């Protein structure tokens, strides 16, 4: 479900861009396809909650697919934007280089998620380290009775956006992660 939710909109956006603007460069159509790949996860969740289905099994499946959709869309953006902007040529070594960088970036973000920003560290080897034990995202966002939660979230997003830009990706990729 999740792969269809990213691939089908991309192909439709790519195709309609070429249909409505014939003769345009394939790079323009590539950006047209990327523009329609992201899903509206927040709108989907609000709609499900309004109907009282926020915690149902179908809702969990829908939201899981939507999040996986967005991650797949970000992977497409990470690979396709450098090609569309001319930063990388659409050759096998160029695409392989972008894929390796994207994989390494997502791996680093995953490490940051599990080690630097764990939700709760109550057991395991990390629970023995005093600083790590109190650095969970839950504790950071509740600092000052939660008054700075939005600012803290935005700062974390800007930081990861800057890191992704440093790696040669669009800042949106890091901010979303």
């Amino acid at each position: 479900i999740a792969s269809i939710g990213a691939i089908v909109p991309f192909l439709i956006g790519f195709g309609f861009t070429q249909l409505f603007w014939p003769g345009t460069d394939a790079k323009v159509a590539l950006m047209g396809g990327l523009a329609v790949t992201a899903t509206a996860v927040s709108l989907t969740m609000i709609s499900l909650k309004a109907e009282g289905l926020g915690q149902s099994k179908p809702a969990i499946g829908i939201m899981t697919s939507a999040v996986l959709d967005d991650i797949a869309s970000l992977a497409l953006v990470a690979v396709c934007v450098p090609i569309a902007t001319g930063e990388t040529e659409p050759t096998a070594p160029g695409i392989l280089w972008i894929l390796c960088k994207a994989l390494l970036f997502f791996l680093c973000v995953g490490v940051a998620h599990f080690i630097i920003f764990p939700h709760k560290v109550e057991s395991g080897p990390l629970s023995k380290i005093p600083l790590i034990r109190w650095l969970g995202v839950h504790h950071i966002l509740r600092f000052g009775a939660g008054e700075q939660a939005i600012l803290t979230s935005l700062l974390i997003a800007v930081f990861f956006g800057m890191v992704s830009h440093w790696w040669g990706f669009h800042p949106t990729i890091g901010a979303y992660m």
Side-chain angles (χ1 to χ4, degrees):
I1 295 173
S3 61
I4 292 171
I7 294 170
V8 170
F10 175 80
L11 293 175
I12 290 172
F14 187 89
F16 274 110
T17 301
Q18 288 189 327
L19 179 69
F20 288 130
W21 293 282
T24 58
D25 189 15
K27 293 178 180 179
V28 173
L30 185 67
M31 293 306 291
L34 289 175
V36 296
T37 55
T39 59
V41 173
S42 58
L43 294 176
T44 305
M45 192 64 207
I46 289 170
S47 300
L48 290 168
K49 281 186 175 182
E51 296 298 321
L53 300 171
Q55 298 298 320
S56 66
K57 284 189 178 196
I60 292 170
I62 291 168
M63 292 309 296
T64 302
S65 292
V67 169
L68 292 174
D69 250 3
D70 284 349
I71 292 171
S73 298
L74 287 173
L76 275 173
V77 168
V79 171
C80 294
V81 166
I83 293 170
T85 59
E87 183 181 316
T88 301
E89 290 299 318
T91 61
I95 293 172
L96 184 63
W97 171 244
I98 293 172
L99 286 173
C100 288
K101 279 188 357 181
L103 184 64
L104 189 60
F105 177 74
F106 288 132
L107 183 67
C108 289
V109 169
V111 167
H113 171 71
F114 287 111
I115 293 178
I116 298 172
F117 297 119
H119 181 66
K120 285 186 177 179
V121 181
E122 296 174 351
S123 63
L126 292 178
S127 67
K128 309 288 188 255
I129 304 170
L131 186 62
I132 297 290
R133 183 176 51 218
W134 299 105
L135 278 183
V137 169
H138 181 71
H139 296 294
I140 292 172
L141 295 178
R142 286 187 22 186
F143 177 74
E147 294 174 356
Q148 275 68 27
I150 292 174
L151 179 62
T152 304
S153 298
L154 289 174
L155 285 174
I156 292 169
V158 167
F159 172 76
F160 280 106
M162 291 180 353
V163 169
S164 71
H165 181 68
W166 180 72
W167 280 55
F169 301 120
H170 195 275
T172 309
I173 294 170
Y176 183 82
M177 298 312 288

